[in-house]
Amino acid sequence: MKFTQTSLKVGELATGQELNVPVYQLPAQDLSAPSVFIQANVHGAEVQGNAVIFQLMKLLETMDVKGEVTLLPLANPLGINQKSGEFTLGRFDPITGVNWNREYLDHQVDVASWYQEHAHLDDKALIQAYHLQLIESCQAHLNSEWGVTTGKRLAVTLQSMAHAADIVIDLHTGPKSCKHMYCPEYDVASAAFFSIPFTLVIPNDFGGAMDEAAFCPWWQLAEYAQSQGRVLDVPVSAFTLELASQERIDMSDALNDAQGILAYLSHRGVIDDKVEPARMPRFGCYLKDYKKFHAPTAGMVEYKAELGEPLQEGEALANILRLDLYGTDKEFTSLYLKQDCVPILHFASASVYQGTELYKVMTNLFEL
């Protein structure tokens, strides 16, 4: 079965032209199978997710797909086209300065009141009603008489589509990064299906990202239902996959990541084909143990620690060169950490201000 293509309006330029996002869909063949929403390129320089979606489309068109699949590559036309010279700057809304991936709506549903009103419904009807509640909340926000910002319109329009799905996957990359993913604590076993070596296990806290916007309301509902003596598994799964570094397309690597996504979709029954996950070591840490290291001084940085490789306490993380301090004991400074870790990503530029976030590292790792 071939994908059909439509478009989704996500805003307008000052000159009146519409901003549209291509939408590719396969319809459900089995309404009991989970539905899927996957988007890529919310940050302008993070293009590898488009290659993964391309590989997914080619593979899915040869498979027995049961659940509805909705794919949104090129999800942020404003960010993608925000160029300066040879670089893409599209990480922040240029109008407000807000991170494009921190614009999603925190519904702040009064879960207790909503549940009491709908507690008579069976699980299937309850879940359907909550999907509708979240979608209507998005639409009400977009239709506010006070209007919404450009970034919020884009994000909440995407979020409204995502709330119709049972599985939400947001494809990103880092500046200079190894592959890693974000996975909610209640669903950590799912990380074993993706072709991703490192997993950040995140709590039920909303920080503005798409994955949290998708799963937090459901996690809150499930926890409240449990407090009322009702066992309700969290019915929505949401993940962010970080597909190595930005400003990069690698079709072979994209195929590996697409196959990892398919292994998960096979496990969930979205596709009838059997796709086995890659055999590889996988490690996780809790989000509280994901540490940021900031430059203690300005200068020119030599990044020493290899991404995705264990770094022992006392091994060099980076060196900082200060030619303005040549001839002093501060002309060349080596930086170290006082604990073992695995560096996951580092700043893209070798020129940094004091306080720049140089590295993010995982600590207190455990095997998945």
Side-chain angles (χ1 to χ4, degrees), residues 28-303:
Q29 302 301 306
D30 179 354
L31 295 179
S32 67
S35 57
V36 183
F37 174 91
I38 302 176
Q39 68 175 20
N41 216 171
V42 165
H43 289 140
E46 300 183 10
V47 295
Q48 179 67 2
N50 294 311
V52 172
I53 285 181
F54 174 83
Q55 298 287 31
L56 275 173
M57 291 172 68
K58 291 295 186 183
L59 292 167
L60 285 168
E61 287 184 341
T62 69
M63 293 180 164
D64 185 4
V65 181
K66 297 300 184 184
E68 181 182 73
V69 177
T70 301
L71 305 176
L72 269 75
L74 306 168
N76 182 359
L78 278 171
I80 293 165
N81 288 291
Q82 190 186 353
K83 303 288 291 186
S84 179
E86 62 184 291
F87 300 105
T88 307
L89 304 181
R91 184 171 184 82
F92 302 96
D93 181 346
I95 301 170
T96 63
V98 178
N99 185 329
W100 290 110
N101 194 38
R102 296 296 182 271
E103 292 271 36
Y104 299 101
L105 180 62
D106 182 2
H107 296 282
Q108 298 184 336
V109 177
D110 183 346
V111 176
S113 297
W114 189 92
Y115 180 81
Q116 294 303 327
E117 184 179 344
H118 296 83
H120 64 283
L121 299 175
D122 62 27
D123 286 357
K124 182 178 180 180
L126 185 78
I127 290 167
Q128 289 175 340
Y130 206 56
H131 273 294
L132 184 60
Q133 164 69 26
L134 298 176
I135 293 168
E136 289 178 344
S137 175
C138 286
Q139 294 306 312
H141 190 78
L142 292 171
N143 294 327
S144 167
E145 63 177 322
W146 298 101
V148 295
T149 66
T150 299
K152 185 68 76 173
R153 179 167 298 282
L154 169 74
V156 178
T157 300
L158 298 174
Q159 183 180 355
S160 181
M161 289 194 71
H163 277 318
D166 304 304
I167 297 167
V168 176
I169 301 176
D170 196 11
L171 303 178
H172 286 260
T173 65
K176 298 294 183 181
S177 175
C178 68
K179 292 182 186 179
H180 58 290
M181 65 180 288
Y182 291 82
C183 180
E185 188 173 348
Y186 70 84
D187 209 7
V188 68
S190 294
F193 293 92
F194 296 93
S195 302
I196 305 288
F198 299 104
T199 295
L200 294 163
V201 182
I202 53 181
N204 190 10
D205 295 323
F206 180 76
M210 171 60 95
D211 56 352
E212 297 159 344
F215 72 67
C216 279
W218 293 99
W219 199 345
Q220 293 160 6
L221 177 64
E223 287 184 334
Y224 185 80
Q226 185 176 20
S227 75
Q228 302 301 300
R230 181 173 184 171
V231 177
L232 181 69
D233 292 334
V234 181
V236 169
S237 298
F239 314 98
T240 295
L241 306 189
E242 301 278 356
L243 307 168
S245 301
Q246 63 188 26
E247 298 280 27
R248 157 190 174 272
I249 288 285
D250 184 322
M251 297 306 294
S252 176
D253 204 22
L255 180 59
N256 289 332
D257 288 318
Q259 289 169 334
I261 293 172
L262 290 174
Y264 176 71
L265 299 186
S266 173
H267 164 69
R268 290 293 306 272
V270 177
I271 57 177
D272 213 25
D273 306 71
K274 186 64 175 177
V275 181
E276 295 291 341
R279 293 186 177 181
M280 58 187 292
R282 295 176 175 86
F283 299 91
C285 85
Y286 291 101
L287 190 62
K288 64 182 178 62
D289 293 322
Y290 190 43
K291 304 296 186 182
K292 301 175 182 179
F293 180 81
H294 298 87
T297 183
M300 308 297 148
V301 179
E302 179 186 20
Y303 296 98

